[in-house]
Amino acid sequence: MNKIFVTRQLPNEELVKKLEKFFIVDVWKGENPPSKKILKARSKGCWGLLTMLTEKIDLDIISDNPSLKIIANMAVGYDNIDIQAANRFSIKVTNTPDVLTKSTAELTIALIFMMAKRLQEGNLAIRNNEWGPWHPSWMLGKDLDNSKLGIIGPGKIGHEVAKIAKSLNMQVMYYGKKTKKNFPGNFVNLENLLKNADFISIHLSLNKETTKFLNMDHFTMMKNDAVLINTSRGQIINQSDLENALKKKIIGGAALDVTDPEPLPATSELLKMQNVFISPHLGSATKKTRLAMASLAIKNLIELNAGRKPPNMVNE
Ligand code: GLV
Ligand code: GLV
């Protein structure tokens, strides 16, 4: 039997048992990710790896493993894996698309509501004993109805966000390469989107082209009450530019489920701002979705082991 290393504990033991029908399975049981040294040592001699986005699979690990045939990432993003190195050594890389689309889109919409209704600011005001008698013009937020949502990165998640947004009567526009036929809304250029949107939501995958893609040039184009939402990867935003833009009130606020780095240190300037809401990378964090992600990663391993093409290869 081929050997695989599973870099974190899976949602349940059944999944491990399923793997054990096909493979010799080594699971890293630590609460935290394995260190680089451990990762390298435990990957040694493996035919496959089942990895999470916390494990950096670089040229060093890949080139050290002549028996390695597949890296099954339990995430839709695969920026943690050096794809070029995997290609060089003919290693198949798979991800877990589709199964987390709804969860991530729901979280995105939750963040939009959170910011529009100023829920965090209101809650903080109460906790700080600043809630006075009802006031006609205190803590006024925005209606989503008839507001403009700009989606940067119209992939599966962006499409799902648009569908929900349309049902809330938001006007949706997109920037990016069309990935499906029937997107609800218009494709515009980036400048147009930035200048007109009330809410701007990022749904790009992280790679060389998208690293620090959004910077001060873009923030200055945005409306001064625009809200930026990011549920993709923190590195897509130039975060120090964003901090400055928020401090100088160049934009209205930001809700970030992803940051650079992660975890974001509790001392971060961003956490001192009332109009910034940060959640700890919860896009796919539901029981149902994590189970589906793990099952799909396992399926990719099993299919290749049976001599078939894994269903979710990203480096064809
Ligand atoms: C989560 O961030 C993922 O890429 O699945
Ligand atoms: C607000 O609470 C209202 O009654 O209008």
Side-chain angles (χ1 to χ4, degrees):
M1 281 208 280
N2 285 322
K3 194 178 156 206
I4 62 168
F5 178 46
V6 181
T7 63
R8 304 293 287 279
Q9 292 198 62
L10 296 177
N12 65 45
E13 270 308 302
E14 246 99 282
L15 294 166
V16 179
K17 289 209 183 91
K18 179 156 191 200
L19 273 174
E20 282 171 344
K21 286 192 193 141
F22 301 91
F23 304 104
I24 298 164
V25 183
D26 177 22
V27 180
W28 171 250
K29 295 253 166 69
E31 260 315 296
N32 291 320
S35 67
K36 165 92 202 263
K37 201 171 151 205
I38 292 170
L39 183 60
K40 198 172 164 184
R42 301 271 281 264
S43 302
K44 191 106 188 154
C46 283
W47 170 89
L49 301 178
L50 198 166
T51 52
M52 318 279 147
L53 53 89
T54 39
E55 280 71 70
K56 202 167 160 53
I57 310 297
D58 57 12
L59 176 65
D60 184 30
I61 289 178
I62 287 173
S63 62
D64 196 41
N65 259 314
S67 48
L68 191 61
K69 294 287 175 273
I70 178 167
I71 303 162
N73 212 34
M74 193 182 122
V76 69
Y78 44 88
D79 47 279
N80 56 310
I81 299 167
D82 185 338
I83 295 291
Q84 264 187 332
N87 286 341
R88 171 131 61 99
F89 291 87
S90 301
I91 293 165
K92 293 177 171 60
V93 178
T94 64
N95 69 343
T96 58
D98 306 314
V99 291
L100 47 61
T101 300
K102 297 246 175 189
S103 292
T104 310
E106 284 178 10
L107 181 81
T108 306
I109 296 290
L111 294 179
I112 292 174
F113 270 117
M114 183 93 197
M115 297 305 289
K117 307 303 172 188
R118 301 179 65 177
L119 297 178
Q120 167 172 254
E121 287 174 84
N123 184 261
L124 283 173
I126 299 170
R127 287 167 189 252
N128 293 332
N129 208 17
E130 289 160 4
W131 184 13
W134 188 93
H135 189 290
S137 55
W138 186 61
M139 209 45 88
L140 304 187
K142 289 178 179 170
D143 290 307
L144 301 190
D145 182 56
N146 240 327
S147 67
K148 294 190 173 78
L149 170 64
I151 291 181
I152 299 180
K156 287 169 181 160
I157 297 170
H159 179 256
E160 191 63 31
V161 170
K163 264 172 48 192
I164 305 173
K166 280 303 247 189
S167 75
L168 297 165
N169 199 36
M170 295 176 87
Q171 297 174 35
V172 183
M173 61 191 133
Y174 311 90
Y175 169 72
K177 210 165 78 198
K178 208 176 211 165
T179 54
K180 278 188 177 194
K181 265 191 202 142
N182 301 313
F183 275 89
N186 296 322
F187 278 74
V188 296
N189 65 34
L190 184 58
E191 191 175 332
N192 232 304
L193 183 148
L194 295 169
K195 283 187 171 157
N196 290 300
D198 302 298
F199 302 91
I200 295 170
S201 189
I202 305 175
H203 300 283
L204 294 166
S205 48
L206 178 65
N207 52 47
K208 277 200 194 90
E209 284 79 55
T210 60
T211 299
K212 296 205 178 1
F213 176 78
L214 274 195
N215 57 42
M216 190 55 94
D217 294 343
H218 302 103
F219 303 139
T220 49
M221 279 188 233
M222 288 163 59
K223 290 185 181 178
N224 62 13
D225 66 344
V227 171
L228 183 66
I229 314 283
N230 190 9
T231 55
S232 59
R233 285 293 182 272
Q235 292 87 341
I236 290 171
I237 295 176
N238 181 325
Q239 200 167 281
S240 59
D241 279 8
L242 177 61
E243 267 177 38
N244 281 327
L246 288 160
K247 246 186 231 159
K248 294 180 184 150
K249 306 211 183 306
I250 291 169
I251 69 170
L256 311 171
D257 185 52
V258 288
T259 56
D260 180 19
E262 285 178 20
L264 186 71
T267 52
S268 165
E269 286 294 310
L270 286 171
L271 291 165
K272 297 183 185 137
M273 301 179 204
Q274 296 246 339
N275 56 344
V276 175
F277 179 81
I278 315 250
S279 52
H281 204 140
L282 300 177
S284 69
T286 70
K287 282 187 186 166
K288 188 176 150 205
T289 294
R290 285 289 161 80
L291 193 60
M293 289 165 72
S295 301
L296 193 52
I298 288 171
K299 185 171 182 189
N300 278 290
L301 291 164
I302 292 174
E303 288 297 299
L304 184 66
N305 192 52
R308 292 185 290 265
K309 190 177 162 211
N312 307 109
M313 255 174 75
V314 297
N315 60 341
E316 318 219 17

